[in-house]
Amino acid sequence: MVGVLIGFAIIGTIIAIGYAIGRIGLLGSAPQFALSRLVFFVLTPSLLFTVLSEADLRVTFSPLILVSAAAATVCFVLYAVVARVFWRRRVPETVIGSLGAGYVNANNIGIPVSLYVLGNAALSAPIVLFQLVIVTPIVMAILDASTLGRTSLRRILKQPFTNPLIVASALGVLVAVTRVDLPTIVTEPFRLIGGAAVPVVLLSFGMSLSGARILEAGAGRRDVLLAGALKLAVMPLAAWAIGRFVFGLEGHDLFVAVVLAALPSAQNVFNYAQRYERGVILARDTVLITTVLSIPVLVVVAALLA
């Protein structure tokens, strides 16, 4: 338990430093765009490649991914039923809210938590793949059809192959499966670059909290609160129940499953909302609220299960 709390303390300290940087404007008025692209296209792919290329795939691709997928599906469906059936929300807003309720930040927050709290940065990688390879194409198809009136099978199929996180993860898994012994001159640059991913991500997140305003009047508060409650309360409970009673997980494996389910909503939800210009405020507030409140939720999970 002490080790888990130390892990959270490390994460919290780096986030606080990032917040201070944002408050004083050390990096200028708009550093988020450059940092987010650096993390997405360079730092995190390098980290995923080096971690997965050396990972034990029996641990990485375990029943934990099935538990995470099942818990996410529960939250997707619950939000969609309430928003669509009872509140009569339009399809695009329902999709964005459903993502906020179950699409976890397995990258920016998941990797640091997996590294410092769970002890293995590779644990969140399969969730990244599940969300980007399976969930995202389905979501893009629905949003295309509901906002543009059309969709393209070609566009859906090519998405996984143009995402640097998926490509880097696939290459890392390929190296692990084939057990190719890559020379140091090949692996070390990726290791050094990937080592910057976690601190830069946490600093960037801390900077994003500076000056943020949430739950303003007329911003769809109950939609945000529903998505946040499903994400932070229902999804961890669903992961615990499914992991414990369906897959028979116990001890550390059950702890890992619940922690991964308790991660906040992913920044990608906001990116998708911006891209289609639907549910932008809903996505922004859900991501921000769940990210801030996920820390105490994760601490409670650790106190109960670690």
Side-chain angles (χ1 to χ4, degrees):
M1 181 59 186
V2 174
V4 171
L5 292 178
I6 290 174
F8 283 126
I10 293 171
I11 293 172
T13 300
I14 300 175
I15 291 175
I17 294 172
Y19 178 80
I21 292 173
R23 289 290 293 178
I24 65 176
L26 182 64
L27 300 183
S29 59
Q32 293 297 309
F33 179 75
L35 286 177
S36 64
R37 291 181 67 84
L38 177 65
V39 167
F40 183 80
F41 287 101
V42 181
L43 302 185
T44 301
S46 297
L47 177 63
L48 288 173
F49 172 74
T50 54
V51 167
L52 288 175
S53 65
E54 300 172 354
D56 183 349
L57 297 182
R58 292 172 299 179
V59 175
T60 304
F61 294 97
S62 67
L64 294 174
I65 183 60
L66 299 178
V67 174
S68 298
T73 301
V74 168
C75 293
F76 291 153
V77 172
L78 286 176
Y79 185 93
V81 169
V82 173
R84 186 68 177 161
V85 176
F86 296 101
W87 293 348
R88 304 296 182 183
R89 298 292 188 259
R90 291 174 296 182
V91 172
E93 285 73 14
T94 300
V95 171
I96 295 299
S98 296
L99 286 178
Y103 196 107
V104 305
N105 194 332
N107 179 25
N108 292 355
I109 303 298
I111 290 178
V113 169
S114 296
L115 177 62
Y116 292 122
V117 178
L118 303 178
N120 184 355
L123 288 173
S124 67
I127 300 178
V128 173
L129 294 177
F130 162 72
Q131 293 183 157
L132 293 176
V133 175
I134 298 177
V135 177
T136 297
I138 295 174
V139 167
M140 293 296 101
I142 296 174
L143 290 175
D144 279 346
S146 59
T147 59
L148 305 176
R150 57 181 173 78
T151 188
S152 167
L153 179 62
R154 180 172 176 268
R155 178 180 177 180
I156 295 172
L157 294 178
K158 77 175 184 179
Q159 283 177 358
F161 301 99
T162 59
N163 189 297
L165 303 181
I166 296 178
V167 173
S169 298
L171 291 175
V173 170
L174 179 63
V175 172
V177 169
T178 58
R179 297 182 180 180
V180 175
D181 187 15
L182 297 175
T184 302
I185 194 173
V186 173
T187 59
E188 196 60 24
F190 291 105
R191 193 183 312 279
L192 290 172
I193 295 172
V198 170
V200 171
V201 160
L202 294 177
L203 288 172
S204 178
F205 170 65
M207 292 165 60
S208 71
L209 297 179
S210 175
R213 299 177 62 184
I214 59 175
L215 295 179
E216 294 179 323
R221 291 175 180 173
R222 66 176 179 175
D223 301 70
V224 175
L225 293 175
L226 173 61
L230 289 171
K231 181 71 225 50
L232 295 177
V234 175
M235 191 168 175
L237 288 173
W240 175 82
I242 294 169
R244 180 69 182 84
F245 299 110
V246 176
F247 290 93
L249 300 182
E250 296 179 345
H252 183 69
D253 288 341
L254 185 61
F255 172 53
V256 170
V258 177
V259 165
L260 294 177
L263 293 172
S265 304
Q267 182 69 29
N268 280 355
V269 179
F270 179 65
N271 294 340
Y272 300 152
Q274 280 189 316
R275 179 175 178 179
Y276 289 92
E277 299 181 347
R278 299 296 179 89
V280 175
I281 297 177
L282 167 61
R284 183 201 66 191
D285 287 1
T286 301
V287 170
L288 184 56
I289 285 176
T290 57
T291 303
V292 172
L293 296 182
S294 66
I295 298 300
V297 171
L298 288 168
V299 171
V300 170
V301 170
L304 295 174
L305 298 177

